[in-house]
Amino acid sequence: MRVLVTGGAGYIGSHGARALKRRGHEVVIYDNFNTGHRELAQGFELIEGNVGDAFTLARALRDIDAVMHFAAHSLVGESVQNPRKYFENNVGDGLVLLNTCVECGVHKFIFSSTAAVYGNPREVPIAEDAPKQPVNPYGFSKLSFEYAMQSYDPAYGLRFMSLRYFNAAGCDESGEIGELHDPETHLIPAALQSATGARNELQIFGDDYQTPDGTCIRDYIHVDDLAEAHVLALEHLAAGGASNILNLGTGKGHTVKEVVTTIERVIGRELPKRIVGRRPGDPPVLLADPSRAEKMLGWKATRSLEQMVASAWKFHQLRSRARAV
Ligand code: UFG
């Protein structure tokens, strides 16, 4: 298949693009480099454009069989400060893409959704039909887009897979691509920055949660496992499979302190770190029930937390070296 990958120069999108290529699909990356990085799109056919630009999109979609839509804003805190940005981009521009797909006859659509649609879950692990009660505009924007896809399926024949990510982590084994956010708010890259001196210390947000060691539990999933699930989801649609919504996680949780200990073991030294107060809006435990994805796609995350950390560390080091020369 020839696949348009929006946001293919971003963290998860660049891994999705590689996973498609490895399975023999043709990839066209569509990115405006607002938050994407040219180095992550290297080696791919590229169209520079906005997701809200119907004209450029219509030309880009001319010979395309399917779309993987990664392009989005994804900072929870920023979404609270500036919800307009999140609704304009994740919903408004996203709908321009969805409408242009329908108009151009592109009916296979893979969407990057998030565990943020569940808000503070009543029960863990979380299954897909658990209540959807986002606690921030980012979660609302992704859920709104899911509702649009669900409405477009019976009306316009759009077939979609909405993939709700838990905590994406790690980098491709090649070390060529990885997580590059500015500002960096995610735990593993923030901890690695504290290891290299790019930040003074890692702040651990709260150790008074009702969890075994008092720190929050998350379901970390290797970005290559995530990327492979996208390809399988697309192939499922191509084989005539129905639209669906799938959690992508491992079903296993790790506390922040466990992640820190794993990082210290991988890099061979202690991190400068300090316990500080809770970060507003952090649920104590987020854990996926990934059984639907396994049943539908025959997919299961296989990579460990150790592999996530080691691959992220490799990318971090290669990049620091490349910048030093
Ligand atoms: N944490 C720290 N210190 C840091 C960064 C994070 O202690 O410097 C902690 C957080 O409090 C949390 C855990 O590490 O307990 C993971 O935090 P991340 O910021 O890495 O990830 P989140 O769980 O906040 O975010 C993820 C996804 C979002 C999604 C959200 C849903 O990255 O896209 O889950 O709650 F919206």
Side-chain angles (χ1 to χ4, degrees), residues 126-308:
I126 309 170
E128 289 82 355
D129 47 12
K132 262 63 74 189
Q133 291 166 333
V135 290
N136 51 59
Y138 169 62
F140 278 119
S141 71
K142 290 286 183 175
L143 186 58
S144 305
F145 197 81
E146 284 194 355
Y147 289 142
M149 291 188 298
Q150 283 173 300
S151 312
Y152 278 37
D153 177 332
Y156 310 128
L158 176 89
R159 280 182 310 121
F160 70 88
M161 292 292 259
S162 187
L163 305 177
R164 293 181 180 153
Y165 312 157
F166 282 66
N167 287 62
C171 302
D172 189 65
E173 304 305 330
S174 65
E176 289 167 7
I177 52 170
E179 197 165 5
L180 292 172
H181 295 122
D182 186 18
E184 188 50 76
T185 61
H186 291 116
L187 177 60
I188 294 175
L192 296 180
Q193 286 180 344
S194 78
T196 57
R199 76 169 63 204
N200 290 340
E201 62 181 8
L202 175 71
Q203 299 192 329
I204 295 178
F205 299 135
D207 67 349
D208 56 352
Y209 288 95
Q210 294 288 314
T211 59
D213 64 19
T215 61
C216 289
I217 294 177
R218 293 287 180 275
D219 185 336
Y220 296 89
I221 172 167
H222 196 296
V223 65
D224 277 340
D225 280 324
L226 267 189
E228 287 161 12
H230 284 69
V231 179
L232 293 174
L234 178 61
E235 291 173 354
H236 166 87
L237 290 184
S243 300
N244 216 322
I245 296 177
L246 304 177
N247 283 339
L248 296 182
T250 64
K252 282 195 293 279
H254 295 282
T255 66
V256 173
K257 282 186 178 166
E258 280 168 5
V259 173
V260 169
T261 308
T262 306
I263 295 172
E264 292 179 334
R265 197 167 52 240
V266 168
I267 71 173
R269 61 177 186 272
E270 236 187 90
L271 294 177
K273 55 186 181 290
R274 187 162 56 97
I275 311 279
V276 298
R278 292 182 177 195
R279 183 171 67 177
D282 273 341
V285 183
L286 282 178
L287 208 53
D289 171 354
S291 55
R292 188 189 283 180
E294 187 176 356
K295 207 162 121 205
M296 286 207 54
L297 307 179
W299 168 89
K300 209 173 170 162
T302 56
R303 296 163 176 95
S304 66
L305 180 63
E306 191 109 7
Q307 285 171 291
M308 296 176 219

Side-chain angles (χ1 to χ4, degrees), residues 87-117:
F87 282 92
E88 278 178 357
N89 185 38
N90 296 0
V91 184
D93 290 351
L95 288 179
V96 173
L97 171 64
L98 207 56
N99 294 339
T100 313
C101 282
V102 169
E103 282 155 19
C104 295
V106 176
H107 288 122
K108 292 185 278 298
F109 198 91
I110 309 294
F111 177 61
S112 296
S113 190
T114 170
V117 301

Side-chain angles (χ1 to χ4, degrees), residues 46-58:
L46 175 69
I47 297 174
E48 205 162 332
N50 290 318
V51 168
D53 175 356
F55 180 74
T56 307
L57 273 176

